[in-house]
């Protein structure tokens, strides 16, 4: 019984220590976080092939229409 | 038992403190901020390639850094390395244990790793002298199944396990450099940050945790999901985390404001999310579901803007190429499909 309590105590002490750490972190305002998330998406949109579409000439997964034999 | 009671009270009060601190920085919601942004137009991706060859359910896939080769793992007991453009099988590696649940391609392209119900992470050398692919190392210490693994480099790999821990291994010596303990349920998935300093894990305790790779510290814990988190990924700028859960929703958590910013869900979707991946800019979130489909979400507006229907069974894994050019889905129907 006493060893169970000791195990439970150690576990609780670790949880409290971890919670203390997490409570103490620095947090930025959501407005700033949201602005930067949105800015990143918009600034990189033109480089996002799945978003912009891939022209067949540049698509490595599409076979070329014509086949040149030398 | 006065001390236990005191600690329990302190734990509750710290949890309240965290909730209050998160609320205190919530001067605006993401929804408010993007109210003026238009939803992206309908995204219609086509199947460009079907990779055929596995004989049973595919459980995992991972793209190589060249955006051409990818590795897949199936419970037919094989790891296959594919040239996704030609659909050729570059390597077909027979596994000792067919109960594989995860695979990973090393950033160098020199190795692949896999693991599953054997509780081990097996490392395979693709560039052996005689051309044969052999097991190079077997990392054994987990007391539960291997759910996910990701290489940091040719000598370090991080694994997540059903034993509720994640581990950073020294591959050469086979030793555990760091054990990341703290989750109260099976760890199901992990993702490494773009700067390789931190990683995130999703677990059956419904939380996601951010870990410092070098000092082993759990820096942040994110809750909100109402069931197991099966899939996790980093937003491309490394400042946010996306998760997919059995509660049928995906969430985006911002790391610096330490909170959930948005949930991706629809009343018509009632099945679990198995896999998740962001597009190159992060504007699209692709998520695989138990209902055989993959939904594409506008990450800022939280609206569904596309569906990938092409599999005849659960989509178990998904990955977008590092160059953003295509997405690959793997399914229990034994096929991998490349879309763009």
């Amino acid at each position: 019984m006493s060893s169970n309590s000791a195990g439970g105590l150690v576990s609780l002490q670790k949880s409290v220590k971890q919670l203390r750490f997490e409570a103490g972190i620095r947090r930025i305002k959501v407005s700033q976080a949201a602005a930067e998330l949105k800015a990143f998406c918009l600034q990189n949109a033109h480089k996002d092939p799945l978003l912009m579409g891939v022209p067949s000439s540049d698509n490595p997964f599409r076979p070329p229409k014509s086949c040149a034999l030398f | 038992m006065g001390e236990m009671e005191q600690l329990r009270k302190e734990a509750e009060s710290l949890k309240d403190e965290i909730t209050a601190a998160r609320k205190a920085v919530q001067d605006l919601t993401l929804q408010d901020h993007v109210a003026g942004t238009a939803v992206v137009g309908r995204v219609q991706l086509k199947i460009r390639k079907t990779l055929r060859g596995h004989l049973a359910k595919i459980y995992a896939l991972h793209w190589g850094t060249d955006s051409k080769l990818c590795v897949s793992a199936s419970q037919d007991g094989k790891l296959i390395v594919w040239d996704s453009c030609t659909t050729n099988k570059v390597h077909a590696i027979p596994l000792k244990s067919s109960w594989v649940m995860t695979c990973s391609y090393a950033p160098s392209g020199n190795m692949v790793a896999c693991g599953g119900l054997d509780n081990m992470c097996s490392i395979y050398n693709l560039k052996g002298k005689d051309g044969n692919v052999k097991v190079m190392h077997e990392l054994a210490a987990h007391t539960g199944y291997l759910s996910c693994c990701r290489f940091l480099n040719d000598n370090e790999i991080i694994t997540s396990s059903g034993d509720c821990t994640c581990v950073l291994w020294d591959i050469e010596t086979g030793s555990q450099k760091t054990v990341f303990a703290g989750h109260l349920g099976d760890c199901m998935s992990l993702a490494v940050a773009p700067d390789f300093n931190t990683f995130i894990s999703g677990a059956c305790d419904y939380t996601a945790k951010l870990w410092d790779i070098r000092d082993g510290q759990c820096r942040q814990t994110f809750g909100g999901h109402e069931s197991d988190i099966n899939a996790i990924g980093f937003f491309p700028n490394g400042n946010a985390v996306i998760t997919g859960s059995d509660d049928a929703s995906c969430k985006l958590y911002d790391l610096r404001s330490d909170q959930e910013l948005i949930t991706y869900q629809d009343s018509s979707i009632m099945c679990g999310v198995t896999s998740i991946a962001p597009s190159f800019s992060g504007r699209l979130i692709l998520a695989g579901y138990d209902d055989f489909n993959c939904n594409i979400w506008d990450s800022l507006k939280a609206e569904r803007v596309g569906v990938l229907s092409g599999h005849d069974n659960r989509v178990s894994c998904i990955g977008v190429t590092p160059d953003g050019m295509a997405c690959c889905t793997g399914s229990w129907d034994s096929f991998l499909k490349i879309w763009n």
Side-chain angles (χ1 to χ4, degrees):
Chain A
M1 198 58 204
S2 61
S3 62
N4 271 353
S5 310
L9 185 64
V10 170
S11 173
L12 249 178
Q13 281 167 340
K14 278 190 189 162
S15 299
V16 168
K17 189 174 175 206
Q18 178 61 34
L19 283 167
R20 247 186 236 136
F21 180 94
E22 290 182 22
I25 65 161
R26 197 184 143 261
R27 293 170 180 84
I28 67 170
K29 293 245 186 282
V30 172
S31 54
Q32 186 193 341
E36 294 185 22
L37 217 61
K38 175 177 151 189
F40 185 88
C41 286
L42 298 181
Q43 276 157 24
N44 289 287
H46 68 282
K47 290 194 256 179
D48 189 340
L50 295 180
L51 189 60
M52 306 303 302
V54 187
S56 32
S57 50
D58 299 337
N59 193 345
F61 299 98
R62 256 187 126 166
K65 291 261 180 296
S66 60
C67 188
L69 295 167
F70 291 94
Chain B
M1 296 289 107
E3 195 180 345
M4 297 258 297
E5 196 44 47
Q6 223 174 335
L7 283 171
R8 271 192 211 104
K9 280 205 177 119
E10 197 181 345
E12 282 316 300
S13 126
L14 284 165
K15 284 179 190 166
D16 289 340
E17 204 182 300
I18 292 172
T19 304
R22 285 169 168 165
K23 205 150 168 59
V25 293
Q26 210 179 75
D27 53 342
L28 207 67
T29 62
L30 175 58
Q31 289 84 327
D32 294 331
H33 199 84
V34 298
T37 309
V39 180
V40 302
R42 189 119 195 102
V43 175
Q44 280 170 319
L45 304 183
K46 296 202 171 81
I47 296 172
R48 302 297 178 193
K49 303 283 177 191
T50 297
L51 306 180
R52 295 182 171 85
H54 278 302
L55 303 171
K57 295 175 176 169
I58 291 171
Y59 274 80
L61 76 92
H62 193 212
W63 282 102
T65 44
D66 64 359
S67 295
K68 295 283 175 289
L69 300 181
C70 68
V71 63
S72 60
S74 162
Q75 293 204 346
D76 63 3
K78 292 248 170 28
L79 270 191
I80 298 180
V81 177
W82 309 83
D83 176 323
S84 59
C85 294
T86 61
T87 74
N88 288 340
K89 299 174 191 49
V90 180
H91 300 287
I93 307 164
L95 306 174
K96 271 194 205 172
S97 163
S98 63
W99 304 112
V100 66
M101 294 172 71
T102 180
C103 61
S104 178
Y105 217 129
S108 65
N110 293 333
M111 298 136 80
V112 288
C114 69
L117 295 183
D118 58 356
N119 298 1
M120 286 194 318
C121 183
S122 301
I123 314 282
Y124 293 82
N125 183 3
L126 298 179
K127 307 282 170 85
K129 282 197 198 124
D130 54 359
N132 280 339
V133 176
K134 286 192 289 255
V135 182
M136 210 162 71
H137 296 279
E138 285 175 334
L139 309 173
H142 276 302
T143 54
Y145 60 86
L146 207 83
S147 53
C148 194
C149 58
R150 285 292 177 260
F151 282 93
L152 293 182
N153 52 57
D154 280 3
N155 200 41
E156 289 177 309
I157 191 166
I158 300 182
T159 55
S160 63
S161 169
D163 67 11
C164 309
T165 69
C166 295
V167 171
L168 168 68
W169 303 82
D170 178 309
I171 294 175
E172 187 96 37
T173 62
S175 59
Q176 300 174 86
K177 281 174 115 157
T178 313
V179 177
F180 303 90
H183 274 299
L184 301 173
D186 300 14
C187 293
M188 297 303 291
S189 185
L190 76 98
V192 179
D195 69 4
F196 289 88
N197 289 331
T198 59
F199 78 93
I200 39 172
S201 56
C204 292
D205 60 5
Y206 311 174
T207 71
K209 283 179 180 286
L210 177 78
W211 306 88
D212 183 305
I213 293 177
R214 297 306 156 194
D215 68 21
Q217 175 77 44
C218 168
R219 302 204 160 280
Q220 291 169 260
T221 300
F222 300 97
H225 274 298
E226 294 167 349
S227 188
D228 303 352
I229 292 177
N230 298 316
I232 201 161
F234 268 95
F235 190 81
N237 69 356
N239 288 336
V241 165
I242 49 177
T243 54
S245 166
D246 270 346
D247 68 9
S249 79
C250 299
K251 286 179 187 288
L252 183 141
Y253 297 96
D254 180 81
L255 296 179
R256 293 175 309 156
S257 58
D258 186 42
Q259 56 194 275
E260 176 189 326
L261 291 192
I262 203 158
T263 296
Y264 308 96
Q265 67 190 358
D266 189 294
S267 53
S268 65
I269 303 172
M270 289 175 290
C271 61
V273 180
T274 60
S275 46
I276 199 162
S279 70
F280 188 82
S281 68
R283 186 64 195 267
L284 302 176
I285 291 177
L286 295 93
Y289 291 72
D290 284 341
D291 68 359
F292 312 177
N293 290 328
C294 185
N295 288 317
I296 306 178
W297 298 89
D298 176 328
S299 64
L300 298 178
K301 302 292 287 183
E303 285 190 34
R304 207 164 22 150
V305 294
V307 181
L308 303 181
S309 315
H311 284 291
D312 297 323
N313 206 323
R314 176 185 290 195
V315 173
S316 55
C317 46
I318 195 165
V320 173
T321 54
D323 64 6
M325 197 54 90
C327 135
C328 182
T329 50
S331 166
W332 279 9
D333 68 8
S334 82
F335 301 115
L336 294 139
K337 291 184 189 281
I338 314 272
W339 312 70
N340 68 11

